[in-house]
Amino acid sequence: AKPNQVITSGCAAANYIKRRIKNPNVYMIGEEGLKEALNESDIPITNKGNANVVLIGLDRQITYKKLATAALAVQNGAAFISTNRDAAIPSEDGFVPGNGSLTAVISASTGTDPTFIGKPETIMMEEALKQLNLAREEVVLIGDNYATDMIAGSQAGIDTVMVFTGVTRREDLLKVNLQPTYCINTLHEWINKENE
């Protein structure tokens, strides 16, 4: 893939804000990648509570002050957007709080549900299709996580390829009604079939 073909939930969030919110002024909780995505879209970032958008992504330097500023902005009417629902993410020590957990703090304290952008949300798939300038019928979503990847593709009307190299195991698919379009053990298996 070329760099312009890669889209993160941060990039999708920036595109979403640019398309949907007039004169955005964003209070951001997140790390450098999210900041870069906003900067590349020429979206102003503020450190004050006067924002009309609160955008939250994973922030491993989170503080009470950041959460409080975001909550106050949401209470004052700012749009509330989160890059993803990931409640926990893997680390060397085990699973630790993910962005979904941080988002839940603001949601609980304001009584406001955010707009989630990342997989399995359809917003992420729509933004990717726009960036690639392709129709649903021209793409396939490949992933190793049924709950995010396969659901995202299915909800967006995109064919899916389940790869059993990560989160979801083959036996896990016996428990779900909605099946992936295709299943493979590894990406090498797919590449080898394409070269035959």
Side-chain angles (χ1 to χ4, degrees):
K2 297 172 186 167
N4 67 338
Q5 295 173 314
V6 175
I7 183 166
T8 66
S9 58
C11 294
N15 291 340
Y16 178 86
I17 290 167
K18 194 164 189 170
R19 282 187 184 65
R20 306 269 177 117
I21 299 176
K22 188 176 180 179
N23 301 319
N25 187 29
V26 176
Y27 179 75
M28 183 202 90
I29 294 176
E31 297 179 352
E32 197 58 35
L34 190 55
K35 183 178 180 181
E36 286 175 16
L38 291 171
N39 287 337
E40 286 175 13
S41 292
D42 296 321
I43 296 173
I45 301 171
T46 181
N47 291 325
K48 301 173 185 164
N50 64 344
N52 62 359
V53 179
V54 168
L55 174 61
I56 182 168
L58 182 63
D59 186 339
R60 285 171 277 236
Q61 305 300 318
I62 194 69
T63 64
Y64 183 83
K65 183 176 181 181
K66 289 179 182 180
L67 293 168
T69 302
L72 291 169
V74 170
Q75 288 173 28
N76 287 326
F80 183 21
I81 301 170
S82 179
T83 58
N84 64 69
R85 295 179 184 267
D86 297 345
I89 56 173
S91 76
E92 290 180 6
D93 300 320
F95 283 88
V96 296
N99 182 56
S101 296
L102 302 180
T103 302
V105 172
I106 299 168
S107 186
S109 66
T110 62
T112 303
D113 292 327
T115 298
F116 286 102
I117 301 294
K119 296 180 298 182
E121 307 305 323
T122 305
I123 293 170
M124 180 76 176
M125 300 300 99
E126 296 293 336
E127 291 298 331
L129 290 171
K130 284 176 190 169
Q131 183 168 322
L132 296 170
N133 197 28
L134 293 171
R136 286 172 172 69
E137 301 77 27
E138 296 176 288
V139 301
V140 63
L141 192 148
I142 303 167
D144 68 355
N145 185 327
Y146 178 86
T148 56
D149 303 323
M150 300 303 105
I151 296 299
S154 177
Q155 288 180 165
I158 297 171
D159 284 345
T160 56
V161 177
M162 181 81 237
V163 184
F164 299 108
T165 55
V167 177
T168 302
R169 299 168 300 164
R170 191 174 288 278
E171 53 268 27
D172 295 333
L173 292 184
L174 300 174
K175 303 171 191 169
V176 298
N177 291 326
L178 185 62
Q179 293 292 307
T181 312
Y182 308 99
C183 294
I184 56 177
N185 292 313
T186 69
L187 288 176
H188 293 291
E189 181 180 320
W190 185 33
I191 293 166
N192 291 338
K193 283 183 182 180
E194 289 291 313
N195 291 330
E196 288 176 359

